Each structure stands twice: as C-alpha cells, then as structure tokens.
C-alpha cells in the first residue's frame, strides 16, 4: 500500500526519483498515466493490469466510459525504473500535470499520484476543510 507525502524533484531530463520506500514495489515496472485534477497516476504494473481489466467490463456503448478509457489509456506509458529508482515521465504527461522541477508524490493506496507542488498545496488547502467537516459516510463501511 502506498502512503505518505514526498517531495522529490524532477531532474533536467524529466526523470523522477521514486521515494526509496516504493522502489522495490515498482522495480518490475510501472505505468504512469493521466489522473483526475491534473495529477498523474503511477501504478505498479500488476495493479495497472487490474485497472485495465476493470475497464474491460465497462459498456462500450457508453460514451462517458469510452471517453474516460481513451483519455486514461492513451496517456499511459509503461516504464522500468533504473537502479537508482529513476524513470522518465514523458513530456506530454509532464505538460498535462503542469510539472516543473518541484513535485509532490503522494501515496493513494494502490497507486501513487504526482502533482506539481504548488498545485498540490492549493488542492490540499481547498479540500482539507471539507474533509474535516465530513459528516456522512463517503466511503461505504469506513466509519
């Protein structure tokens, strides 16, 4: 499970150093793709296969499902981190997420998310209060 917040930097070639605690899990390969709120999702390869399998269950007659799958999968890039835990984030994905050198990597359960650090701080500032004020069950069975 991926947890926590980390602030690595992208190098001049657009490579991300994975936080050390995640390197073993990602060593066999990963997929980076577009996420919601203009961040990137990074899945270990086996988790991405599960997500893709779930997508196969969506009805192709649904325009919303087709559109989602097109955007999600067309941006996907499979990568293998080097021995230092680095991999290149393709330019089109860096542009989509507005990534500069300062990035924030958050653990989101079965995936990592990569955010431009300023965008993450803005997002967190805008959503923390609603998180604190939540009075109803958002995730079934959680509370």
């Amino acid at each position: 499970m991926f947890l926590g917040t980390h602030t690595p930097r992208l190098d001049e070639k657009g490579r991300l150093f994975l936080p050390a605690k995640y390197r073993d899990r990602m060593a066999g390969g990963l997929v980076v793709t577009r996420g919601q709120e203009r961040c990137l999702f990074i899945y270990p390869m086996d988790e991405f296969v599960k997500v893709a399998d779930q997508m196969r269950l969506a009805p192709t007659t649904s325009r919303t499902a087709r559109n989602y799958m097109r955007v999600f999968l067309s941006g996907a890039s499979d990568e293998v981190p080097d021995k230092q835990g680095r991999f290149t984030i393709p330019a089109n994905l860096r542009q989509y997420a507005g990534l500069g050198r300062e990035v924030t990597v958050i653990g989101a359960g079965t995936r990592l998310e990569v955010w431009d650090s300023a965008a993450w701080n803005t997002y967190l500032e805008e959503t923390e209060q609603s998180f604190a004020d939540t009075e109803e069950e958002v995730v079934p069975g959680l509370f």
Side-chain angles (χ1 to χ4, degrees):
M1 178 175 292
F2 299 108
L3 304 170
T5 302
H6 308 272
T7 54
R9 290 187 172 170
L10 289 183
D11 70 11
E12 64 283 345
K13 296 178 182 178
R15 293 180 298 191
L16 177 70
F17 281 85
L18 287 168
K21 66 189 278 183
Y22 304 139
R23 289 181 189 167
D24 286 345
R25 180 71 172 97
M26 300 287 197
L30 59 89
V31 175
V32 57
T33 192
R34 295 178 189 99
Q36 279 83 30
E37 291 90 25
R38 294 282 176 169
C39 71
L40 301 179
F41 290 171
I42 301 176
Y43 293 93
M45 186 59 74
D46 62 326
E47 283 296 325
F48 186 80
V49 169
K50 291 177 189 176
V51 170
D53 286 344
Q54 280 296 118
M55 287 184 171
R56 286 190 194 115
L57 301 176
T60 56
T61 55
S62 165
R63 179 183 299 270
T64 302
R66 288 192 315 270
N67 288 343
Y68 185 89
M69 288 186 285
R70 285 175 182 145
V71 171
F72 186 80
L73 295 172
S74 69
S77 179
D78 56 325
E79 306 289 336
V80 177
D82 67 14
K83 288 181 169 98
Q84 288 89 21
R86 297 178 301 192
F87 71 96
T88 300
I89 297 176
N92 65 315
L93 293 177
R94 292 194 312 267
Q95 181 180 3
Y96 168 80
L99 300 182
R101 284 185 51 81
E102 304 294 324
V103 299
T104 299
V105 176
I106 65 165
T110 60
R111 68 174 186 268
L112 296 173
E113 293 183 0
V114 180
W115 293 74
D116 170 75
S117 289
W120 169 250
N121 291 333
T122 298
Y123 172 82
L124 197 55
E125 185 177 303
E126 292 172 353
T127 57
E128 270 185 321
Q129 191 58 50
S130 66
F131 170 81
D133 294 341
T134 300
E135 297 176 5
E136 59 193 49
E137 183 177 62
V138 175
V139 178
L142 186 59
F143 296 110

